Amino acid sequence: MTPAGRASAAIEVLTDLGARKRPASEALKDWGSAHRFAGSGDRAAIGSLVFDCLRQRASLGAAMEDDGPRALVLRALVSAWGMSADSVDRLFDGSRFAPEPLTEVERAGLTRVLSPDVPAWVRGDYPEWLEDSFAAVFGEDAVAEGAALSVRAPVDLRVNTLKANRDKVLKALARFTPQPTAYGRHGLRIAPRQGSARTPHVEADAAHGKGWSRGPGRGAQIAAAMTGAGPREQVIDLCAGAGGKTLALAAAMANTGQLYAYDANRMRLRPIFDRLRRAAPATCRCWRAGSTRGSRPEGRMDRVVIDAPCTGSGTWRRRPDAKWRLTPDMLSGRMADQVAVLARARDLVKPGGRLTYITCSVLPGENREQVDSFLERHPEFALKPWREVWEEAIEADAPASADGSDETLLMTPRSHGTDGFFVATLERQA
Ligand SMILES: C[S@@+](CC[C@H](N)C(=O)[O-])C[C@H]1O[C@@H](n2cnc3c(N)ncnc32)[C@H](O)[C@@H]1O
């Protein structure tokens, strides 16, 4: 396909998304099935353009004074892909497969500079109804934090230290120019590509899964380490899902003690059974929803980990369509789930034990406000300042929390180069 044909396709996919209100990945998949002639490079470029339009939908639309699919694609080619206004003008020439030529109004939009009077939510590309939440957490940095959540994310890899070391993997993947990550000895990062350049398909490399694998992002690794789980402990991962954090906990416990993985959703837990039995056969017990298989965990756990159900606002770089689909009702629903999980966790922690509350959200209602109301209901718990926890768990200097807090940690793409993650450590005093 020609670059102009790809632009037409992106407009088509965005039009379908607007009409049918569904995830971008589904719309792209359907487009691919209906256009079998498109090669993998075409699909990747079309997908990248659609996602770039969604990441910066508000600011692109404001610059064009039009937030329709064609206007978004036009402006994304300039603002996100770095094309000149003239080359975009030449691309849209109305020839076969190319979009119609530009109007004068569109031409003006390609070079319009956004006025500083444009509201923060538009410049920072987050939903208007979250303006107060962003201002409450980030203050004057709201626009910059929102903008950093509106660009492509890097690829994070984890070196398998049993089979390789970081230098070997750096050499093996040299063509992707990976860099060692900050805050850890076993991580590598491949910077996001720009424009139509494809995200490196690292899974296709022969050494994938042996010397290294695509890891949970750096933020998730830090959050797992900050649980402080260690050998011979009784630990429960209360929202285990497919087991991302559980595997990290099992490794930290060195196959000793007891690690329980629980999830309210039986289907989500399914992949975990085999993964954990292979990784930590002696340590791990899995509980399905509604069953604790005769164990009596109440008041016995050294560590309770809540990787809470949340809006995922910290992952908007990877799921930009989710940010515009999020509604106040969905946020309230997640917050009610969080209250329920916290209530369950409270009964499990032993006196002197620790509850780690984690979200991949930057919204205060899911983070600090949730923790504060838990502490009001349960004065037997106290917050442990996050720097103390960081220093016990992570071999790198602690960067400031993105919201300036000394008690809880908020990581963000802008402040830490991670997805958005919130970590609070609550110790049970009695
Ligand atoms: C953020 S996901 C967990 C991701 C997982 N820990 C990982 O690292 O891959 C949140 C999980 O919480 C589960 N969940 C929701 N409400 C729950 C509840 N009341 N009790 C336990 N789990 C719950 C959901 O089914 C979902 O799997």
Side-chain angles (χ1 to χ4, degrees), residues 284-346:
C284 198
R285 305 273 179 281
C286 298
W287 292 331
R288 298 183 183 88
S291 145
T292 45
R293 292 207 308 197
S295 314
R296 290 180 179 275
E298 279 71 19
R300 289 201 300 116
M301 294 293 133
D302 297 293
R303 318 265 166 186
V304 175
V305 180
I306 300 182
D307 189 13
C310 71
T311 57
S313 61
T315 65
W316 280 343
R317 293 182 302 175
R318 299 168 206 278
R319 299 163 54 247
D321 47 341
K323 108 172 131 178
W324 305 113
R325 283 206 313 271
L326 184 64
T327 62
D329 275 356
M330 287 159 77
L331 172 59
S332 308
R334 292 295 79 75
M335 286 167 61
D337 292 340
Q338 291 152 9
V339 171
V341 189
L342 279 161
R344 174 78 181 114
R346 184 248 158 229

Side-chain angles (χ1 to χ4, degrees), residues 148-233:
L149 276 163
S150 305
V151 293
R152 295 185 193 177
V155 174
D156 281 332
L157 305 173
R158 186 169 46 189
V159 175
N160 177 357
T161 47
L162 294 176
K163 299 195 175 159
N165 61 41
R166 191 150 77 173
D167 289 340
K168 266 194 190 165
V169 179
L170 276 170
K171 230 183 251 171
L173 294 177
R175 66 189 181 287
F176 299 133
T177 52
Q179 300 295 321
T181 43
Y183 329 130
R185 284 174 300 142
H186 308 315
L188 291 177
R189 169 163 286 187
I190 300 174
R193 302 300 193 246
Q194 295 307 324
S196 62
R198 297 176 71 159
T199 305
H201 188 29
V202 288
E203 282 86 355
D205 192 276
H208 176 249
K210 294 180 192 141
W212 51 270
S213 55
R214 196 164 177 139
R218 199 55 206 132
Q221 290 176 36
I222 291 171
M226 285 179 72
T227 63
R232 292 176 295 284
E233 288 186 333

Side-chain angles (χ1 to χ4, degrees), residues 237-245 262-265 268 307-309 337 340-341:
D237 183 357
L238 201 48
C239 300
K245 307 269 179 324
Y262 177 87
D263 198 284
N265 183 332
R268 288 218 181 186
D307 189 13
D337 292 340
V341 189

